[in-house]
Amino acid sequence: MSTATGTPGAGEWAVRADGIGKRYRRGWALRECSFRLPAGRICGLVGPNGAGKSTLLGLMSRQLQPTEGELRLFGTPVDDPAVMPRFAFLGQDKPLFKRFTVAETLRMGGELNPGWDMAAAERIVRSGGVPLDARVGTLSGGQRTRVGFALAFGKRPDLLLLDEPMADLDPLARDEMGTLLMAEAVERGTTVLMSSHQLTEVEDMCDFLLVLSGGRVRLAGSADELLPAHTLVTGLAPDGTPPPELAAHTVVEVRTEGRQFQALIRASGPLPDAWSVDRPSLEEVLLAHLRSPDAPALYVPDARTAEGITTP
Amino acid sequence: MTATVPAAPAATVSRTGLLRGLPWLVARQHRATALGVLAAVAVGCALLVQQRFALVGLLDRAGWPAKEVPQPVVGGSVHGYLLLGLSALPVALAVFVGAPLISGDQEQGTAQLVTTQSVTRRQWLLAKLTWCYSLALLAAVPLGLLHTWYWEPHRSLMPHEWSEGAVFDNTGPMLPAFALFLTAVGVTVGLLTRRVFVAMTATFVLALVVEMAWDRVRTHLAPSRMFTYPLDTELPARLSEAHELDRWVGSADGRLYGWGSCAEQTEAASEACLREKGIVNDVIEYLGYDQMPAMQWTGAGILLAGTVLLTAFVVVRVGRRPL
């Protein structure tokens, strides 16, 4: 199924968005959204409620049509039906036919998908101890998610789109599904794009990040490039306001407490010796960006598309 | 449908049956509905056949048509329920098959599930519509044919005239056409409301409105005819099956007067009135029984055109808008 466009990184983009936007009756849900997701990455899609995450996933899974811009999956425009076998989508409420048995649900996958891998789908279902002749309506939430994953992986997708896949699972099922997801994705080199509110989950599983806020991209890039770009500085703020030296750098977030300030910045030069400098955790970076929707967007080179993009 | 062999290591989900792909999915999803409809149709067909044979036996014993049979011959409770069932069939198909067709999948999210497999929304919709219209035809065609076969030879003994809805809408091409049209109404309402219960309720109300409106349309499906015959004589026998639309009295030069124009207190006064206006004829405006097939095909054509329009709307809308 892989395209013949050379080595990964040189042109094999799982997702390429060029200025896509989606307007609903009440306004823009997504605006001027441009980014690239290299194939083979596990990408976390992070953002507050209403940031446009579900809209973005809806556009990629062809359930919505963009109002503007162009979206390509593996080089194929998303409105071309040829793109359909290449992605699998698992929505937040994991809709399944409740009166079907698990076996019938898997058969549906086989009937509707050209490259269906029944053995793989059955293995995922079996390894969770879900009986094939059970009605889907009688399964627990965790079991149903497992069937959803089996349907998604049985399709042998190159791109797996997940909308808060673990949101309604208990910790045990969450851990189990996380392990399953990572194992299957790594084994096949599947690109995964998953939205999540669980920052620890994102930190553990994802090596690429896409942060949305207010319908725009705030951060896009691989985690090990995004993280070093940020510095957590602490220093004295004698008159209760942050020192003017901060202005020389890109400030994501600054907070003062008494005579002290703490700021998450992207340094654009040497920092004063008086400040104590720390490496932030991924969670701290994400939280800072979510709290400060007006902070300048950051794209690492891999995630940049041709035009209209600021660099660090 | 379960095909699991716990010991087998290889793939155990088998693909049995004739159907593949989307047709299999749609048939499996709506299996219970289809079985329910087909069972009801089988009962209806059996009753129609039984009623006809019972009637034929009765008439043979009575020597009909050589001898008169005492009326009413037909009109038992089974006959009444049959006509009620036939008239309710298109409405029932609209409410229970058409309305939930798309709205059920929108409500349950399974529209999203199916259309994020490797099939487009339009492919899925066409499979759904094909199944839905096939089921409507499978129900309405045999019932319509059997009803015609039961009613037509014995129409002079039946309690309803050919122009009444109970007969006109439930025989020949009309029953399938009505079933298709109302089912299409149900599908459209379901797509727009996105909720099964709302869709079923709205479809039911709309179906009743359509039926009421159709009552006014029926007698306009063919041009009416006029027949003039001498005052106070019998209508010719060939018009005995005609559906009377209006009656006048007329003068020799063709002027028409209302039926009650010369209804006076006394016979003498009436006579004087008739003489004064020169009224010599009875005039009847009617629809002949021979016009019935043309009227039914015209009506069916109108309903099928409506079906095509609604279906086109649904297909275009599903292609453009998210489900």
Side-chain angles (χ1 to χ4, degrees):
Chain A
M1 283 305 254
S2 71
T3 54
T5 46
T7 53
E12 179 74 344
W13 305 108
V15 182
R16 190 193 161 111
D18 281 310
I20 56 166
K22 175 70 190 172
R23 186 173 52 199
Y24 293 115
R25 229 169 281 163
R26 52 182 193 281
W28 290 90
L30 204 62
R31 196 89 211 251
E32 290 162 18
C33 185
S34 298
F35 68 91
R36 298 190 300 199
L37 171 61
R41 310 300 288 263
I42 312 278
C43 176
L45 179 57
V46 182
N49 288 328
K53 302 189 296 292
S54 293
T55 300
L56 184 58
L57 286 167
L59 291 170
M60 289 187 209
S61 57
R62 291 172 48 99
Q63 296 169 68
L64 304 173
Q65 277 152 349
T67 313
E68 59 178 30
E70 195 189 25
L71 182 61
R72 288 170 176 270
L73 304 185
F74 300 100
T76 312
V78 78
D79 52 3
D80 181 347
V83 88
M84 299 201 77
R86 304 206 65 178
F87 72 83
F89 174 77
L90 191 56
Q92 193 176 350
D93 22 299
K94 294 147 206 134
L96 293 169
F97 290 104
K98 292 194 175 62
R99 271 179 293 205
F100 280 31
T101 63
V102 175
E104 285 167 337
T105 306
L106 296 188
R107 179 175 172 186
M108 175 189 77
E111 298 286 357
L112 302 187
N113 294 297
W116 181 254
D117 183 346
M118 186 61 87
E122 282 194 39
R123 179 164 44 77
I124 293 172
V125 167
R126 284 241 177 75
S127 65
V130 183
L132 278 174
D133 55 356
R135 302 252 163 215
V136 168
T138 65
L139 300 180
S140 70
Q143 287 176 319
R144 205 174 299 180
T145 305
R146 187 171 275 277
V147 175
F149 269 115
L151 208 50
F153 276 112
K155 196 177 174 182
R156 283 211 167 276
D158 299 318
L159 173 66
L160 184 56
L161 304 167
L162 305 170
D163 195 356
E164 296 183 34
M166 326 274 193
D168 54 352
L169 298 184
D170 63 58
L172 207 62
R174 179 185 291 264
D175 181 60
E176 203 180 307
M177 288 304 125
T179 312
L180 171 70
L181 171 62
M182 293 309 283
E184 295 287 335
V186 169
E187 189 188 321
R188 298 187 192 171
T190 314
T191 312
V192 178
L193 181 61
M194 56 182 280
S195 74
S196 179
H197 284 310
Q198 300 290 323
L199 295 184
T200 47
E201 194 174 277
V202 170
E203 192 163 4
D204 288 349
M205 297 170 74
C206 302
D207 57 7
F208 202 93
L209 287 168
L210 191 60
V211 178
L212 290 183
S213 183
R216 287 167 197 266
V217 176
R218 294 295 154 202
L219 279 180
S222 101
D224 43 6
E225 285 178 86
L226 281 178
L227 208 49
H230 291 88
T231 312
L232 195 61
V233 295
T234 317
L236 284 177
D239 48 357
T241 54
E245 292 92 324
L246 266 182
H249 311 282
T250 307
V251 180
V252 177
E253 186 191 39
V254 59
R255 288 191 287 187
T256 52
E257 218 168 285
R259 287 164 41 79
Q260 256 205 347
F261 78 91
Q262 191 181 51
L264 185 80
I265 61 169
R266 296 201 285 269
S268 35
L271 299 167
D273 292 335
W275 295 355
S276 83
V277 175
D278 252 329
R279 296 189 53 128
S281 70
L282 187 60
E283 196 171 339
E284 282 170 316
V285 172
L286 292 177
L287 276 175
H289 275 274
L290 293 182
R291 276 194 295 255
S292 319
D294 297 328
L298 170 66
Y299 288 81
V300 304
D302 253 6
R304 195 186 320 145
T305 53
E307 74 281 345
I309 298 301
T310 56
T311 47
Chain B
M1 286 304 274
T2 56
T4 57
V5 185
T12 54
V13 175
S14 62
R15 299 171 67 173
T16 51
L18 290 170
L19 294 173
R20 287 280 176 274
L22 275 171
W24 170 80
L25 174 71
V26 175
R28 169 62 192 88
Q29 184 191 354
H30 299 290
R31 193 170 61 190
T33 309
L35 290 178
V37 169
L38 294 180
V41 169
V43 170
C45 288
L47 280 176
L48 279 167
V49 171
Q50 179 266 332
Q51 287 282 296
R52 183 186 145 117
F53 281 117
L55 180 62
V56 167
L58 181 81
L59 293 175
D60 282 351
R61 283 193 298 280
W64 187 83
K67 292 186 218 158
E68 286 282 310
V69 281
Q71 298 276 3
V73 185
V74 186
S77 60
V78 176
H79 183 86
Y81 287 131
L82 258 176
L83 283 189
L84 191 68
L86 287 172
S87 305
L89 177 80
V91 181
L93 286 172
V95 172
F96 294 105
V97 179
L101 187 75
I102 307 296
S103 62
D105 289 277
Q106 289 174 312
E107 194 172 272
Q108 296 291 317
T110 41
Q112 182 198 71
L113 173 73
V114 176
T115 56
T116 51
Q117 307 300 313
S118 305
V119 294
T120 61
R121 285 201 296 268
R122 184 159 293 177
Q123 288 171 326
W124 174 70
L125 179 74
L126 291 179
K128 291 279 248 184
L129 289 174
T130 305
W131 175 86
C132 174
Y133 291 156
S134 304
L135 185 65
L137 286 177
L138 215 55
V141 168
L143 283 172
L145 286 176
L146 284 177
H147 186 221
T148 311
W149 174 69
Y150 167 49
W151 177 84
E152 206 273 340
H154 311 113
R155 59 184 185 276
S156 61
L157 308 171
M158 295 287 181
H160 294 282
E161 202 194 337
W162 65 268
S163 56
E164 288 179 63
V167 172
F168 188 89
D169 294 346
N170 294 338
T171 52
M174 279 301 295
L175 190 62
F178 235 116
L180 285 179
F181 177 71
L182 286 184
T183 306
V185 169
V187 173
T188 311
V189 169
L191 178 71
L192 296 177
T193 59
R194 312 167 64 93
R195 290 283 173 271
V196 174
F197 183 73
V198 179
M200 289 171 81
T201 314
T203 300
F204 181 69
V205 173
L206 256 178
L208 294 188
V209 171
V210 169
E211 297 263 7
M212 282 195 287
W214 189 255
D215 272 339
R216 293 168 179 273
V217 173
R218 211 177 288 119
T219 49
H220 299 287
L221 289 172
S224 63
R225 297 172 182 165
M226 301 289 252
F227 181 72
T228 306
Y229 57 104
L231 202 60
D232 294 330
T233 58
E234 283 285 313
L235 196 65
R238 65 180 177 86
L239 293 183
S240 63
E241 288 190 273
H243 170 66
E244 180 183 312
L245 293 171
D246 208 345
R247 244 173 210 281
W248 289 279
V249 284
S251 59
D253 58 0
R255 284 189 66 178
L256 294 181
Y257 299 92
W259 179 243
S261 301
C262 283
E264 303 289 344
Q265 293 273 332
T266 63
E267 201 160 317
S270 294
E271 292 289 331
C273 165
L274 289 174
R275 260 196 311 281
E276 184 199 328
K277 290 182 173 162
I279 290 171
V280 290
N281 287 326
D282 270 325
V283 179
I284 177 172
E285 185 186 8
Y286 69 101
L287 290 164
Y289 175 64
D290 60 310
Q291 289 175 287
M292 182 185 182
M295 287 169 69
Q296 283 193 316
W297 283 104
T298 308
I302 292 170
L303 292 174
L304 288 178
T307 308
V308 169
L309 280 179
L310 288 172
T311 307
F313 168 77
V314 168
V315 170
V316 168
R317 181 165 164 115
V318 165
R320 287 201 186 142
R321 296 269 206 119
L323 284 163

